């Protein structure tokens, strides 16, 4: 969802792209994921995995941030 020319993030890009990917293909959502609600939304779209970077780097505890994103 990150435009590599402008570095802007459009989380709605997942809404458009993921439903077009065949079910047998592993779907990975990347960039701009920082809240549990975003992860939950991606799960409803059929995302199999997420790539999170900045949120973990900025967190005081990466383990806690991961747990929060996964709703644990």
């Amino acid at each position: 969802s990150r435009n590599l020319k402008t570095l802007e993030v459009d989380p709605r890009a997942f809404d458009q792209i993921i439903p077009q990917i065949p079910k047998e293909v592993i779907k990975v959502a990347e960039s701009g994921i920082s809240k549990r609600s975003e992860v939950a939304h991606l799960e409803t779209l059929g995302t199999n995995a997420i790539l999170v970077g900045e949120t973990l780097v900025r967190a005081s505890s990466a383990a806690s941030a991961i747990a929060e994103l996964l709703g644990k």
Side-chain angles (χ1 to χ4, degrees):
S1 70
R2 186 179 305 277
N3 180 321
L4 297 179
K5 291 183 181 181
T6 66
L7 299 181
E8 292 178 359
V9 175
D10 180 4
R12 295 170 300 178
F14 296 127
D15 294 352
Q16 298 167 359
I17 296 168
I18 291 175
Q20 297 179 42
I21 301 172
K23 291 186 186 242
E24 64 274 5
V25 174
I26 295 172
K27 295 165 225 42
V28 180
E30 303 176 356
S31 295
I33 302 165
S34 61
K35 300 175 188 161
R36 170 65 194 147
S37 60
E38 295 165 340
V39 175
H41 178 66
L42 292 168
E43 290 171 337
T44 66
L45 293 175
T47 301
N48 303 103
I50 59 172
L51 184 138
V52 180
E54 183 178 351
T55 298
L56 298 180
V57 171
R58 292 179 182 262
S60 58
S61 166
S64 295
I66 292 168
E68 184 176 330
L69 288 170
L70 297 178
K72 298 183 178 192

